[in-house]
Amino acid sequence: MKSLGRTSIAVLTGGWFAALALTTAPTLARQAPAPAAAAPPRAVLDKYCISCHNQKIRTAGLALDTLDPANPAANVQVWEKVIARLQQGSMPPPGRPRPDQATYHAVASSIETQIDTAWAANPNPGRIGAVHRLNRAEYNNAIRDLFALDIDVKPLLPGDETADGSFDNFADSLSISTAHLERYLSVARQVTRLATGLPPTAPKVETFEIPLHVTQDDRQSEDLPFGSRGGLAVRHNFPAEGEYTVKVRLQRQYQDYLKGMGWPQQLDVRLDGKLLKRFTVGGEGKGRPAAASYAGDGEPGFAGDPEWEEYMQVGGDKGLEVRVPVSAGPHVVAASFVREMFEPEGLPQPQQRARVITNDNVYMEYANVGWVQIGGPYKAGSDPMTKIVTPSRRAVFVCEPKAAAEEKACATKILSRMARLAYRRPATSADTQTLLAFYADGRKGGGSFDAGIQFALERMLVDPDFLVRIHRDPQTRSGPKPKAQSPETYNLSDIELASRLSFFLWSSIPDDHLLTLAERGQLSNPAVLEKETRRMLADPRAVDALVNNFAAQWLNLRRVDEVVVDPYKYPNYDLSLMQGFQKETELFVGSNIKEDRPVAELLNANYSFLNEKIARHYDIPGVYGSRFRRVALPRLDQRGGLLAQGALMSTTSYPDRTSPVLRGKWLLNNILGLPVPAPPPGVDTNLDNKPGTKDLPIRERLAQHRKDPSCNSCHGVIDPLGFALENYDVIGGWRAIDESGKPVDASGSTVNGTKVEGLTGLRTLLLSQPDQFPRTVTEKLMTYGLGRMLQYYDRPAVRKIVREAAPTDYRWSSIIVGIVKSPTFQMRTASSSTN
């Protein structure tokens, strides 16, 4: 359990009152009669603030007596802090004379308006790092779009650093190491050989494994046939035409004994939906089996007969292999069981999934697929000179030379086109000549035209112009200079703007249409830019990138795979449940973006995306089958919006208990946009019950923790938000009894006495000020889109975007278009050396 020390009090106390302002401040401001004439900011500050914040005392290092509130643009950084405190109502501290809410609002608005007006006349767009490496997701998507090659190369590349646990696309955090260079060289060769259709130098075997904690009692994928159970479907790019083997190994328990071998079951192997072969597995064990759940223990009296032991270890899945001719290109390989329904005899027993799935050989239950192996090609196609037109070859080979005299011209056409897309700018003569030199090297020793193109493309993928985005100041770039807005700022070129836009919305390179507009100098035209933004948002790549790269990091969905759950306390846990949670949230957010819904619907939607497994976990009736579909939620006091989804509840819990602190911290960071600092060194963050003492519920343990004033200053902020979600257990199930056996108390009381009761009360708190959550979404999106942390000088841009999105109920398109049209997105501050 985390707690925060004295050094964090000032930061977090202000953050808490921002949350408080979501409900109480706007409500009070509407209820309180406005003064006949608002007092000028100077008078308000002198009356309530100067006694502490003056040159002599300088409380919190702040002196307001020498600053002029009539000219806040002269010291924007300080006045932005003052605006935040005024809007939060956090100062003066409790017990001191305080103005009414209308005065708070009037003074903050006055200072804010002046800062925003000055910013509009001379915006400060900030400065991103000069070198911005593609992260793994961007590299992968660039390969996809360059070569029409749907493969996942992310596991082949080193991991990406994140900045302060936020996004992995920050320019200043994305370093380049020798490990990167080595992997880029290796991946470039693999990718380009696959794209150009060159056969591998030797047969290759790839293994696709199903994790042990994934249950296989239903249809696993939309690529598997109806009536199937378990297994997996693999979308695999076959490098060349030839014969390949598909080998299946069944799943074993932790001591390497096959599972579900007590009765015969049918296993299908398919290629592109066509049945290749049906095997029968199970039911052939001879002799006496081992005692239930003891297979492999080797204890005297529990082992089975030798014939049965051999069958369970090696014989049960021997020979599950098919050899089949396959054409080059993408295909779907599948292995799954024919679904056979049964119900065990006797009284129903409590489910013990977490133990059984790893330990037991579940002899009379379902067999499972452990992995599928694809090997080859072992024998070339009937005509090695025949070139199969795969999507990647179609993307690369825009011409095919019919004679030797045509080869160089065709190579030049191919390579100049690919370089333009890969480098995200017009290809120069030097670019093309470099690639042609490698094309010639690739043909030495009798290499084919395709081999030359492959080698040149391999060189292209390790070029710095592909791997990094370079942001050059006007004085360091060649060609026409961008229009300067002030001595310190300048507009991005159209080419730079195209890359920034495409990596923001697609996490990938610009397409031909966007790049053409940029080359013509038309993209910076406001009308053209908005039209392009909306076109790109309508492309499926936008939803895919914004869900898997933006939302997955904003909402911590990438941590779902890391969740560890105590199997004894939660025996119905399995990895399939976690994967279902993640898919629910991904489909939910993706639908919200695709349908261009108001962003507040992320918190108050009356629907979600469920399959039977997740619906049953949520106690929602009438949902059957493994397919996820949109489901209307029957009880909005228990479900509805992100806050009640299992993915978010499980990633903010400990393995054996819920955590109001982790959940409250998540709400502050990700919904309210208020960063919570880590506890200082030396603070005891362990809230577990100590041995030999009475077991206390977490609420009582936190109450004891808050008796320390330094702890209370922070936990008094965090805990009430987290308590509101106590009706959800470690894996997101609804509960009325907590871990200690007592009725759940999901109530909380904020510092100013506002009551928060359960999901409904929390939702009301978070949405009572309509622009608060849209502001958080805007800040997160802008941070992601720029590839840097936001600073105080970015706040006017955020406020302007949110104000202009209000008439459309803060829909995704309005916020995203506002970000793209903002000076912060389209401009950059020059380095001090170029001023």
Side-chain angles (χ1 to χ4, degrees), residues 133-134 139 157 179-188 462 467:
R133 173 174 65 80
L134 304 192
Y139 183 100
L157 299 173
H180 283 96
L181 300 180
E182 292 169 357
R183 298 312 303 159
Y184 286 144
L185 289 167
S186 174
V187 172
V462 296
L467 296 172

Side-chain angles (χ1 to χ4, degrees), residues 593-613:
I593 296 172
K594 183 178 181 180
E595 297 173 16
D596 197 19
R597 305 296 300 167
V599 296
E601 199 168 285
L602 291 176
L603 301 182
N604 64 6
N606 61 359
Y607 63 89
S608 191
F609 289 80
L610 312 174
N611 65 0
E612 181 177 355
K613 188 179 187 73

Side-chain angles (χ1 to χ4, degrees), residues 290-312:
S293 81
Y294 281 90
D297 278 359
E299 297 183 20
F302 291 110
D305 288 342
E307 310 97 292
W308 184 89
E309 292 280 334
E310 182 182 359
Y311 176 72
M312 290 293 291

Side-chain angles (χ1 to χ4, degrees), residues 132-141 152-177 179-180 183-184 467-468 507 548-549 553 558 562 784:
H132 196 166
R133 173 174 65 80
L134 304 192
N135 65 20
R136 292 193 300 174
E138 292 166 342
Y139 183 100
N140 195 87
N141 291 345
D152 185 9
V153 299
K154 295 190 292 295
L156 304 178
L157 299 173
D160 298 314
E161 306 92 336
T162 59
D164 298 327
S166 52
F167 298 107
D168 63 4
N169 67 341
F170 283 13
D172 291 339
S173 299
L174 289 168
S175 62
I176 301 177
S177 65
H180 283 96
R183 298 312 303 159
Y184 286 144
L467 296 172
V468 300
S507 294
N548 294 318
N549 298 327
Q553 296 183 84
R558 291 184 179 179
E562 303 170 9
Y784 172 79

Side-chain angles (χ1 to χ4, degrees), residues 302-326:
F302 291 110
D305 288 342
E307 310 97 292
W308 184 89
E309 292 280 334
E310 182 182 359
Y311 176 72
M312 290 293 291
Q313 293 181 64
V314 295
D317 60 353
K318 184 183 294 184
L320 302 182
E321 185 172 337
V322 178
R323 192 177 181 104
V324 60
V326 185

Side-chain angles (χ1 to χ4, degrees), residues 190-251:
Q190 294 180 52
V191 164
T192 53
R193 290 186 69 88
L194 191 59
T196 54
L198 293 186
T201 55
K204 181 180 178 182
V205 174
E206 291 190 61
T207 302
F208 304 89
E209 188 173 358
I210 302 178
L212 187 61
H213 278 87
V214 170
T215 57
Q216 299 185 40
D217 53 6
D218 208 337
R219 181 171 175 243
Q220 299 295 100
S221 165
E222 294 299 310
D223 289 328
L224 292 172
F226 290 108
S228 69
R229 175 193 64 78
L232 82 166
V234 178
R235 293 179 177 268
H236 185 66
N237 270 280
F238 289 79
E241 182 179 15
E243 286 192 357
Y244 292 82
T245 60
V246 180
K247 183 178 181 179
V248 181
R249 180 181 172 94
L250 299 183
Q251 192 179 82

